[in-house]
Amino acid sequence: QKEVEQDPGPLSVPEGAIVSLNCTYSNSAFQYFMWYRQYSRKGPELLMYTYSSGNKEDGRFTAQVDKSSKYISLFIRDSQPSDSATYLCALRGNTPLVFGKGTRLSVIA
Amino acid sequence: DSGVTQTPKHLITATGQRVTLRCSPRSGDLSVYWYQQSLDQGLQFLIQYYNGEERAKGNILERFSAQQFPDLHSELNLSSLELGDSALYFCASSVAAGDTEAFFGQGTRLTVV
């Protein structure tokens, strides 16, 4: 079993939809949970991170962590064409970041 | 712009050759990370340096090596290149060794022919 599993998509939604992106993981030592956004031909950029369980909101983005289920989610409200990108979850314990393979999202105007 | 600079942006080379990828971290960042991104494997952590010292090692092949210089820039050396080494190589930097927030460069696209 891989340490981090993420559905690669692609996921295609209409503009204005609520998007749900998810990752599951197997290592209980992970304590920090991040979401990165990567546009085509660019490096990943950090969207938000959460420490331990719970929710965190930043504008249209909400990150959720359920450590009991080893499941993390990123919700995007009122999705925009500019949100079209690959979204990577990343997790860290006492080691450098472990990334999911990324979910490719397309928001259609 | 993340402030992390990677050169070159693109590199095409033949099998068996050796190349050097360069990374300049953000001003003030002491920690540098190298990642390899391929379609089938995703982003794989290779190695981390902190203030000139190797801090952590991931799935880095013996043919690959890295170092961080006193001015904190880092180089990733890839030798005896194989077709399967074709990938995007990213450098990231952070202020401290265990920082959650790492800033990525734009990457070097390596094509081995």
Side-chain angles (χ1 to χ4, degrees), chain B residues 9-30:
Chain B
K9 286 189 170 50
H10 303 279
L11 200 47
I12 301 175
T13 190
T15 54
Q17 295 298 304
R18 172 189 169 95
V19 297
T20 298
L21 313 183
R22 181 187 169 99
C23 170
S24 295
R26 290 188 321 154
S27 177
D29 284 0
L30 299 178

Side-chain angles (χ1 to χ4, degrees), chain A residues 2 32 34 36 38 41-44 46 49 88 92 96-101, chain B residues 33 35 37 40-43 45 48 56 90 98-102 104-106:
Chain A
K2 286 188 177 295
Y32 295 90
M34 276 71 71
Y36 279 78
Q38 185 176 19
R41 302 178 189 277
K42 301 288 188 185
L46 181 66
Y49 76 88
L88 304 107
R92 186 172 77 79
L97 294 173
V98 177
F99 282 85
K101 288 190 178 182
Chain B
Y33 312 79
Y35 285 85
Q37 186 175 41
D40 55 341
Q41 293 295 322
L43 258 174
F45 168 68
Q48 177 193 5
F90 285 103
D99 268 11
T100 301
E101 188 163 11
F104 281 76
Q106 301 280 40

Side-chain angles (χ1 to χ4, degrees), chain B residues 39-56:
Chain B
L39 279 175
D40 55 341
Q41 293 295 322
L43 258 174
Q44 297 286 309
F45 168 68
L46 295 177
I47 197 164
Q48 177 193 5
Y49 279 82
Y50 176 73
N51 204 21
E53 301 287 329
E54 182 183 303
R55 178 79 178 199

Side-chain angles (χ1 to χ4, degrees), chain B residues 69-90:
Chain B
F69 294 86
D71 67 352
L72 300 177
H73 91 271
S74 179
E75 292 181 356
L76 179 67
N77 298 296
L78 315 176
S79 62
S80 302
L81 284 167
E82 302 174 358
L83 296 177
D85 297 326
S86 296
L88 266 170
Y89 291 84
F90 285 103

